[in-house]
Amino acid sequence: MSDNDKILGISLMADQAEMIQKMTKQLGPIVMIFIGLSAILSFVVLYNLNNINIAERLYELSTIKVLGFYNREVTLYVARESIILAIIGILAGFGLGNLLTGYVIRQAETNNVIFPLTIKPFAYLVAVLLMVIFNLVVVYITHRKLQKIDMVAALKSND
C-alpha cells in the first residue's frame, strides 16, 4: 500500500494507541502538580480564614474566656464554624470540581484524542480525607493560638 501513489498516508491503530498511551503518561506529573498545588491552596485558605476569624473576634473570644470557658470549649466554639464551612465547601466542590474538570478535559482534547470525563469515587474520598486532615491541623493550630490570647490586653484594646 505504501507503494501506491494514490495513498497519501498510512496510520496503524497500534501506532495511534501507543501515541495516546504516551500522551496519557505525560499528563500524570501535571495532574500530580495540580493536586499538590490544590492541597496547598486549600490548607492556606483554611488557615487564613481561621486567623481572620480569630483576629476579628478577639474581644468576643477573650470575653468568653474571662467568663470561665475552658480553652477546649473556646476552640470548639471557633472550630464548629470551620467544620461547617468545610462541609459546605466539600459539597460545593463536588459540583464545581466536576464542571472545572470537564472544562479542562475539553480544552485538552484534539481531533484525534478525546478524553472521557471519569472521576473515580476514590478521588472524591481522597479529597474529603485531605480536607478533614487539613481542617484538623488548622483546628489544632487555632487551639494553640487561642491558648496564648492575652485576655486583658484584648479586652482593653476595644475600649
Side-chain angles (χ1 to χ4, degrees):
M1 285 194 334
S2 60
D3 293 336
N4 190 339
D5 292 338
K6 295 181 180 178
I7 297 176
L8 298 175
I10 299 173
S11 177
L12 299 175
M13 291 298 285
D15 292 340
Q16 287 183 357
E18 185 179 329
M19 181 187 67
I20 291 170
Q21 287 294 337
K22 286 180 183 177
M23 287 175 58
T24 305
K25 285 182 183 177
Q26 291 173 350
L27 285 177
I30 295 170
V31 170
M32 293 308 290
I33 290 170
F34 275 122
I35 290 171
L37 292 175
S38 298
I40 291 169
L41 179 65
S42 297
F43 181 78
V44 168
V45 167
L46 277 173
Y47 181 75
N48 282 338
L49 282 174
N50 271 341
N51 274 344
I52 291 169
N53 189 13
I54 290 171
E56 288 184 356
R57 298 171 62 193
L58 193 59
Y59 183 80
E60 175 188 347
L61 297 172
S62 296
T63 304
I64 289 172
K65 284 182 80 169
V66 168
L67 291 173
F69 281 71
Y70 294 110
N71 286 330
R72 184 172 181 241
E73 293 171 324
V74 176
T75 300
L76 288 175
Y77 179 69
V78 174
R80 278 188 207 104
E81 295 173 9
S82 178
I83 292 168
I84 290 169
L85 289 174
I87 291 170
I88 292 169
I90 288 169
L91 295 175
F94 286 160
L96 294 174
N98 280 336
L99 292 174
L100 182 60
T101 303
Y103 174 77
V104 169
I105 285 178
R106 280 192 303 278
Q107 296 305 313
E109 291 176 351
T110 65
N111 290 336
N112 297 332
V113 179
I114 297 174
F115 298 105
L117 176 60
T118 55
I119 303 173
K120 296 180 181 176
F122 180 73
Y124 290 110
L125 181 65
V126 168
V128 169
L129 287 176
L130 282 175
M131 286 307 300
V132 168
I133 290 169
F134 293 160
N135 215 352
L136 290 174
V137 169
V138 168
V139 166
Y140 176 74
I141 294 170
T142 302
H143 177 67
R144 302 282 300 207
K145 193 171 190 173
L146 287 172
Q147 287 178 330
K148 297 176 184 176
I149 289 178
D150 183 9
M151 295 178 285
V152 176
L155 291 173
K156 281 184 180 180
S157 67
N158 205 9
D159 292 337

